[in-house]
Amino acid sequence: MSLKDVAAEAGVGFGTASRTLSDSGYVAEGTRRRVLEAADRLGYRPNRLAAGLRSNRSRLIALLVPDYTNEFYARGSAAIARCLRDLGYQLIIATSSNGTEERDAIESLAEYHVDGIVRVPVDPDLDARVSCPVVELNRRSNLPRVPAVLCDDRSGFRALTEALLERGHRRIAMIVGEQNFSTSLERAAGYREAIAGTDVPSRVLFGSFDSRWGEQATREIFSDEESITAIIAASPRIASGAVAACVKMGVRVPDDLAFASYDDPEWFDFWGSGIRSFVPPLEEMARRAVEVLLDRLESPDSLPETIVLPGRTHEGGSIGVGLA
Amino acid sequence: MSLKDVAAEAGVGFGTASRTLSDSGYVAEGTRRRVLEAADRLGYRPNRLAAGLRSNRSRLIALLVPDYTNEFYARGSAAIARCLRDLGYQLIIATSSNGTEERDAIESLAEYHVDGIVRVPVDPDLDARVSCPVVELNRRSNLPRVPAVLCDDRSGFRALTEALLERGHRRIAMIVGEQNFSTSLERAAGYREAIAGTDVPSRVLFGSFDSRWGEQATREIFSDEESITAIIAASPRIASGAVAACVKMGVRVPDDLAFASYDDPEWFDFWGSGIRSFVPPLEEMARRAVEVLLDRLESPDSLPETIVLPGRTHEGGSIGVGLA
DNA sequence: ATGAAAGCGCTAACAC
DNA sequence: GTGTTAGCGCTTTCAT
């Protein structure tokens, strides 16, 4: 059951049927209706593989994320999928936990001739040059001339740190992820900006964006002599590990330790009096990323733009009311 | 850059190059190597759209879930994607929150000629008949002759209920999701089996698998005269709402209320002394689903099998030590 | 074991 | 406006 059948059923030529169903070019209103009815009667469904092959437009968009077990990416993916579906695209998803996997994923995606790629870079130095437009989401790679949609993490973590300073904290540690991720650097930069000019020593622990590191780093912090009174976790995963460590070590939040984090998973609200955190506008970021991508499909050589969106602060009792 | 170029570069015929690269049919070892080298030199990447069009094998597998913001489905999707990638397939994902969306999603997927569909049914009565094999995951639709991979929820919830009975509870409410989901019915059935033959009254609240319902149902339960001493939530989302209600109403777990749930999101461990729950072997379910699907690709008319896997119980202090 | 040729379903270019 | 035709890149069949 193909276009040819529809054309026959409608008593029109092959091309007219095509033009009608993909509405391009002129078709007389009457003919148009006849074709549409015929298609309907036969239950015609276009073959996107064939259409894509011929037109070089697969109507497939790829999403390349480190791990969509991570609720953060899951929510982002869902938002992207929603936008895309409304525009008649399908989402094809690939995950990559390291540079090698990422390269493989990109090549595999290229084989399907995806129209565009939304990428959360895993290896920021990977040369992901492909023939379709790419937009980076959340993090930024080191590639020049790639559009990106980010959150203003720097300001967010500056604010988080300032709130801690206001409450009298002078020993504040920050646990971040991979040293080569823009998100680690930006978030740490916000922290450093806040303590610059004060006598508060900088203590940033680089590791990786997962709970194992959150737990380990927290233990490290408490095994040191210097008595840290506040910890900032750069991601919910890190926060999860840090919280686990506190529970196991009998450290109470906020009594023994002030705590702040990033994003807003549901469990933040259930943990004690809630966790203070900086929350990125994930859905909007996703929407804008799709927007940028489709823009570039229309005009492939428009200037690559970097969009940085502001986030908001989620209140929560975890930073306490201030030091005695 | 296409097969033709590779063939030319290798100095062989078009078809020989194809046979080599998709290793089907006879190719002499020497020729083979020449083709492989040529492909490598040119950085040849096959066009899967073209291959799929011709061979009716797109190497695309679709995943149809209600919502992958839901960590449960996210983890399942990740597991499926992992299996598939190793087998050279790509995953194309669609979500549907109701029957209409589900139907649209299936039709759209069909247009891409996916080789198979892994489906978590949203509308159990939707006639999802398509030309490719389908396997149902986690829930089962009402369609006959569709293979499914499920968890033995009934036994799991029976055990959960029994643990509560053993601790002396006689007023146990169960909050489940949609009335027409097999998961609601099976989980409720486990609960009923456990209380059958005791004087414990059955109290099952049907609603939907989300936190709003969890919260609302919990409030309902506490507004009634009868004094419920234990609640079983049929999903983590429901649990999340129930817990939120308890926090707001000042109900302490396990002192005022024993609580049990399903699955094992990370926050269960942070909530008080942990939440007792029944945990499905999600990764294995995903693996088996892929297995079944690919089996049916080989032999489309093998008998549809329903696989029911056992789960395990996660300990947790939320069910307390027993009534005084 | 290999090359030549047909054709998957569609779009786009062209003639009428 | 509409029909006809070529051809996207590949697999598959059929000679050889």
Side-chain angles (χ1 to χ4, degrees):
Chain A
M1 221 281 311
S2 72
L3 247 194
K4 229 184 315 196
D5 303 299
V6 177
E9 172 85 8
V12 301
F14 188 22
T16 307
S18 169
R19 259 166 291 156
T20 304
L21 292 165
S22 55
D23 42 27
S24 58
Y26 299 98
V27 181
E29 190 43 36
T31 325
R32 198 185 128 73
R33 222 188 17 258
R34 282 214 323 283
V35 172
L36 254 23
E37 276 165 12
D40 203 49
R41 215 171 316 132
L42 297 178
Y44 170 72
R45 300 267 101 199
N47 182 334
R48 299 249 175 247
L49 261 30
L53 174 60
R54 184 59 238 249
S55 65
N56 267 316
R57 283 296 181 91
S58 61
R59 300 199 75 79
L60 240 28
I61 298 285
L63 178 63
L64 194 54
V65 292
D67 166 23
Y68 47 74
T69 267
N70 190 324
E71 198 210 329
F72 185 74
Y73 298 126
R75 273 170 40 219
S77 311
I80 289 174
R82 226 174 300 126
C83 296
L84 252 28
R85 186 189 43 196
D86 297 340
L87 296 164
Y89 284 84
Q90 277 289 356
L91 227 210
I92 167 166
I93 294 199
T95 53
S96 50
S97 46
N98 57 57
T100 314
E101 280 185 17
E102 197 175 18
R103 159 134 302 285
D104 289 349
I106 291 178
E107 297 200 333
S108 169
L109 260 15
E111 295 181 357
Y112 284 93
H113 288 231
V114 296
D115 289 341
I117 299 180
V118 178
R119 173 184 182 218
V120 178
V122 170
D123 179 351
D125 292 307
L126 177 64
D127 183 8
R129 219 180 305 280
V130 275
S131 54
C132 67
V134 176
V135 56
E136 292 171 356
L137 181 63
N138 190 46
R139 303 204 277 248
R140 174 211 296 277
S141 77
N142 297 328
L143 300 173
R145 343 198 84 263
V146 177
V149 178
L150 313 168
C151 174
D152 186 4
D153 291 344
R154 183 188 291 235
S155 301
F157 279 83
R158 195 195 307 119
L160 242 31
T161 312
E162 280 164 0
L164 257 9
L165 291 173
E166 273 166 28
R167 282 167 177 73
H169 292 276
R170 287 292 171 272
R171 290 289 178 278
I172 307 173
M174 174 151 184
I175 310 176
V176 297
E178 282 80 352
Q179 190 133 202
N180 57 348
F181 286 173
S182 64
T183 40
S184 289
L185 300 175
E186 282 295 306
R187 293 169 200 181
Y191 160 86
R192 290 203 184 98
E193 280 176 16
I195 61 174
T198 70
D199 59 343
V200 172
S202 171
R203 181 123 157 72
V204 178
L205 293 88
F206 285 94
S208 57
F209 281 113
D210 57 47
S211 63
R212 261 240 314 268
W213 167 239
E215 178 156 1
Q216 184 191 329
T218 304
R219 287 182 184 281
E220 270 178 33
I221 288 166
F222 278 97
S223 68
D224 290 354
E225 289 91 288
E226 43 166 349
S227 50
I228 292 288
T229 65
I231 287 182
I232 303 175
S235 86
R237 291 271 170 117
I238 289 176
S240 157
V243 158
C246 288
V247 168
K248 289 179 193 165
M249 295 189 302
V251 172
R252 291 163 310 160
V253 173
D255 311 271
D256 304 332
L257 179 77
F259 189 76
S261 182
Y262 177 76
D263 202 18
D264 191 25
E266 65 182 348
W267 68 268
F268 274 14
D269 275 335
F270 302 150
W271 208 71
S273 49
I275 290 181
R276 169 76 151 237
S277 73
F278 173 67
V279 185
L282 187 52
E283 276 70 24
E284 193 188 343
M285 287 165 67
R287 223 180 36 242
R288 298 295 290 273
V290 169
E291 225 173 85
V292 169
L293 199 59
L294 298 185
D295 262 18
R296 294 182 83 79
L297 267 181
E298 305 300 310
S299 36
D301 27 46
S302 57
L303 285 179
E305 47 177 342
T306 295
I307 296 175
V308 180
L309 300 171
R312 61 180 182 80
T313 295
H314 175 80
E315 302 299 327
S318 65
I319 58 170
V321 291
L323 254 33
Chain B
M1 219 282 311
S2 73
L3 246 195
K4 229 183 317 196
D5 304 299
V6 177
E9 172 84 10
V12 301
F14 189 22
T16 307
S18 169
R19 260 165 288 153
T20 304
L21 291 165
S22 56
D23 42 28
S24 59
Y26 299 98
V27 182
E29 190 42 40
T31 324
R32 198 184 129 74
R33 221 186 19 256
R34 283 218 317 286
V35 172
L36 255 23
E37 276 165 12
D40 202 50
R41 214 171 316 130
L42 297 178
Y44 170 72
R45 300 268 102 201
N47 181 333
R48 300 251 175 245
L49 260 31
L53 174 60
R54 184 59 237 246
S55 66
N56 265 314
R57 284 296 182 91
S58 61
R59 302 198 75 79
L60 240 28
I61 298 285
L63 179 60
L64 193 54
V65 292
D67 166 23
Y68 46 76
T69 266
N70 189 325
E71 197 211 329
F72 186 72
Y73 299 126
R75 273 170 39 221
S77 311
I80 290 174
R82 227 175 299 126
C83 296
L84 254 27
R85 185 187 45 195
D86 297 340
L87 297 164
Y89 284 85
Q90 277 288 358
L91 229 210
I92 166 166
I93 293 198
T95 54
S96 50
S97 47
N98 58 56
T100 314
E101 281 184 18
E102 196 175 18
R103 159 134 304 285
D104 289 351
I106 291 178
E107 298 201 332
S108 168
L109 260 15
E111 295 182 357
Y112 284 93
H113 286 231
V114 295
D115 290 340
I117 299 180
V118 178
R119 172 183 182 218
V120 177
V122 170
D123 179 350
D125 292 307
L126 176 64
D127 183 8
R129 220 180 305 282
V130 276
S131 54
C132 67
V134 176
V135 57
E136 292 171 0
L137 183 62
N138 189 48
R139 302 202 278 248
R140 173 213 295 279
S141 78
N142 297 328
L143 300 174
R145 344 198 85 265
V146 178
V149 178
L150 312 169
C151 174
D152 186 3
D153 290 345
R154 183 188 291 235
S155 301
F157 280 83
R158 194 195 307 121
L160 243 31
T161 311
E162 280 165 357
L164 257 10
L165 291 172
E166 272 166 29
R167 281 167 177 73
H169 292 277
R170 287 292 172 270
R171 290 291 177 277
I172 307 173
M174 174 151 186
I175 310 176
V176 297
E178 281 81 352
Q179 190 134 200
N180 58 348
F181 285 174
S182 65
T183 40
S184 290
L185 300 175
E186 282 294 307
R187 292 168 201 181
Y191 161 85
R192 290 202 184 100
E193 281 176 14
I195 62 175
T198 71
D199 58 343
V200 173
S202 172
R203 182 125 157 70
V204 178
L205 294 88
F206 285 94
S208 57
F209 281 113
D210 57 48
S211 63
R212 260 238 316 267
W213 167 239
E215 178 156 0
Q216 185 191 328
T218 304
R219 287 181 184 281
E220 269 178 33
I221 287 166
F222 279 97
S223 68
D224 289 353
E225 289 90 288
E226 43 165 350
S227 50
I228 292 285
T229 63
I231 287 182
I232 304 176
S235 86
R237 291 271 170 116
I238 289 177
S240 157
V243 158
C246 288
V247 168
K248 290 179 193 163
M249 296 189 300
V251 173
R252 291 162 310 158
V253 172
D255 310 270
D256 304 331
L257 179 78
F259 189 77
S261 182
Y262 178 77
D263 202 19
D264 190 24
E266 64 183 349
W267 67 268
F268 274 14
D269 275 335
F270 301 150
W271 207 71
S273 47
I275 290 181
R276 169 75 151 238
S277 73
F278 173 67
V279 185
L282 187 52
E283 276 70 23
E284 193 188 345
M285 288 164 67
R287 223 180 35 241
R288 297 294 288 274
V290 169
E291 225 172 86
V292 170
L293 199 60
L294 298 185
D295 262 18
R296 295 182 83 78
L297 268 180
E298 305 300 310
S299 36
D301 27 44
S302 57
L303 285 178
E305 46 177 341
T306 295
I307 297 175
V308 179
L309 301 172
R312 61 179 182 82
T313 294
H314 176 80
E315 302 300 327
S318 65
I319 58 169
V321 292
L323 253 35

